[in-house]
Amino acid sequence: MSEAADNFLTSLTPEQRAKAVYEMKNDERLNWDFVPHERNGLTLKEMTSAQRLLAHALLSTGLSQRGYAKAVTIMSLDQILKDMENGAARRDPEMYYVTIFGNPTNQEPWGWRVEGHHVSVNFTIVSENEITTSPLFFGSNPGIVREGPRQGLSVLAEEQELGRRLVTMLSAGQKSVAIFSNTAPHEIVTGKAHKVSPLSPDGLAFVKMTADEQKLLRQLVESYAHRTRQEFAANDLKRIDAAGWAKVHFAWAGGIKSGEGNYYRVQGPTFLLEFDNTQSNANHIHTVWRDFDHDFGVDLLKEHYDHVTHAK
C-alpha cells in the first residue's frame, strides 16, 4: 500500500501534489461525503492515463477483488446518469478524488482516500499491523439499470437480496421486534457523521434467530466486510467474534417486497452497517460500514501519539 501510494505521488507534478497531499492531522481527513460535489484532492479527470492507472493501483491495495469491481462499476454509473440527464455536468465518471494524508514512505501514520459520487474509501495506516478501513461507503444510482445497453446491471444486488431474504424468513413474532417502522428513512441514519454510536432501536438479536437465520445474517455481514482485502476483512470479523455475535442485532424499516422502499441495519459492539433504498422510487441505494472505535483510525492514532516519542 505504501509503495502504491508512493508510486502515485512520484508521478505527480508539483501542482498536482499540492492538490493531492494534506498533513495527516489536517481536519480534511475527516471531511468525507458521498454526494456529487467538488472535494479536496486530485481528480481522475486531472490525471494523465498513467497517473489514473497508479491511482487505481492504490485503490486495489485496500479493496478485495470483488470490492474493487464494485467500486469501479459504481463510478461507471455516473455515465449512465449523465446520459439519462441529458449531459448534466455534475455526472462524470472521472470526478473521483484521490487524497493522501501524511507521508507513506516514512514510519509515521498516514492515510488515503478515494472519493466521489457514491464511493468513499478511507484507509488509515497507523503502523504495519494497525490499518483501519472505515468509513467505507458504496452507493448505486440506478440501483438496477432499467434500460439501455447495460440493462439489468445491479451493483449492490447482493446487499439488497440478502437483507430482504433475512427479513422474509423471520416469523411474525420476530418481525414485530426486527421491523421498527413501516416507513424507511430517506437516507442512512448516520449520514456523513465523523463518528457514530449504536442506533436505536436495536432490532432482533442474533440469539433470537434460528440456525438458518443466523447463518444468513453472518453471510450478510461478511458480504460487507469482504469489500476490503482478505486480511482487513478477517480483522474486522475477528473483532465481531471477540465482542460476541450474541450482541449483534438486525433491524428493518419499510416494505419487504421488491420495489418497495426499504432500510436495514446490522450492528454489534464494534460495528454498524446500514443499507437504504428509498430514493428515486426505491431504485437508489446507499450502504455504509462504520466502526465505532476505529473510523478514521481516531482511537488508534490517539494511542499512538500518546505513547510514541516523535522527533521534533
Side-chain angles (χ1 to χ4, degrees):
M1 190 176 284
S2 174
E3 182 180 0
D6 186 49
N7 288 341
F8 170 69
L9 289 175
T10 301
S11 75
L12 303 182
T13 66
E15 292 77 16
Q16 289 175 316
R17 272 186 90 103
K19 283 189 172 184
V21 180
Y22 283 76
E23 294 293 330
M24 183 60 178
K25 294 185 178 181
N26 193 292
D27 289 343
E28 174 60 29
R29 202 170 65 83
L30 307 183
N31 184 29
W32 79 290
D33 207 345
F34 48 83
V35 297
H37 63 68
E38 289 188 11
R39 291 162 164 78
N40 292 314
L42 184 68
T43 66
L44 297 175
K45 197 175 190 73
E46 298 172 278
M47 300 177 196
T48 65
S49 57
Q51 290 168 339
R52 288 189 201 106
L53 291 174
L54 293 172
H56 277 278
L58 174 60
L59 180 60
S60 70
T61 66
L63 301 180
S64 64
Q65 184 176 6
R66 179 174 57 179
Y68 176 73
K70 284 181 184 286
V72 296
T73 305
I74 289 166
M75 293 177 183
S76 77
L77 291 179
D78 259 31
Q79 184 60 53
I80 291 177
L81 290 176
K82 190 179 187 74
D83 295 340
M84 290 171 60
E85 297 174 7
N86 299 314
R90 68 178 183 146
R91 307 300 190 187
D92 191 335
E94 292 186 336
M95 289 303 289
Y96 287 83
Y97 295 70
V98 180
T99 314
I100 307 292
F101 300 96
N103 184 348
T105 63
N106 64 19
Q107 301 304 307
E108 294 296 311
W110 65 285
W112 59 274
R113 179 177 71 208
V114 174
E115 185 174 88
H117 183 214
H118 281 164
V119 171
S120 184
V121 178
N122 298 272
F123 275 78
T124 305
I125 300 85
V126 180
S127 67
E128 185 176 350
N129 297 313
E130 294 177 308
I131 300 174
T132 68
T133 65
S134 59
L136 179 55
F137 181 100
F138 282 173
S140 177
N141 182 21
I144 303 173
V145 179
R146 302 295 192 190
E147 58 186 25
R150 302 174 74 189
Q151 183 176 357
L153 173 66
S154 182
V155 184
L156 301 177
E158 179 183 34
E159 292 84 343
Q160 173 68 88
E161 290 311 310
L162 287 175
R164 182 180 287 124
R165 277 173 53 197
L166 179 55
V167 75
T168 302
M169 288 174 67
L170 302 179
S171 69
Q174 289 173 311
K175 284 187 175 77
S176 69
V177 178
I179 300 175
F180 64 91
S181 174
N182 291 324
T183 303
H186 186 62
E187 179 59 275
I188 56 171
V189 176
T190 53
K192 56 180 182 178
H194 294 171
K195 184 173 177 61
V196 298
S197 301
L199 300 175
S200 181
D202 293 334
L204 183 66
F206 180 83
V207 292
K208 298 296 184 179
M209 297 181 180
T210 67
D212 285 343
E213 291 160 359
Q214 290 176 347
K215 181 179 179 181
L216 187 56
L217 181 57
R218 285 181 180 270
Q219 184 181 350
L220 176 59
V221 172
E222 289 169 0
S223 73
Y224 280 77
H226 283 287
R227 290 171 171 181
T228 62
R229 252 170 47 183
Q230 173 62 35
E231 57 267 45
F232 302 142
N235 286 338
D236 285 332
L237 294 171
K238 284 178 183 176
R239 293 181 65 232
I240 295 173
D241 288 339
W245 278 89
K247 299 176 183 177
V248 174
H249 291 74
F250 171 77
W252 181 278
I256 294 176
K257 295 179 182 178
S258 178
E260 296 179 333
N262 62 96
Y263 164 94
Y264 68 78
R265 61 174 173 255
V266 184
Q267 61 184 353
T270 63
F271 79 103
L272 165 70
L273 67 85
E274 290 188 272
F275 174 103
D276 187 85
N277 185 12
T278 56
Q279 300 176 43
S280 306
N281 296 314
N283 194 34
H284 182 158
I285 298 171
H286 288 175
T287 72
V288 71
W289 176 282
R290 304 298 303 259
D291 189 300
F292 295 128
D293 294 325
H294 290 174
D295 272 357
F296 300 107
V298 170
D299 286 12
L300 290 174
L301 285 168
K302 183 179 185 305
E303 183 177 346
H304 174 86
Y305 292 132
D306 285 348
H307 292 92
V308 176
T309 302
H310 300 273
K312 296 183 178 180

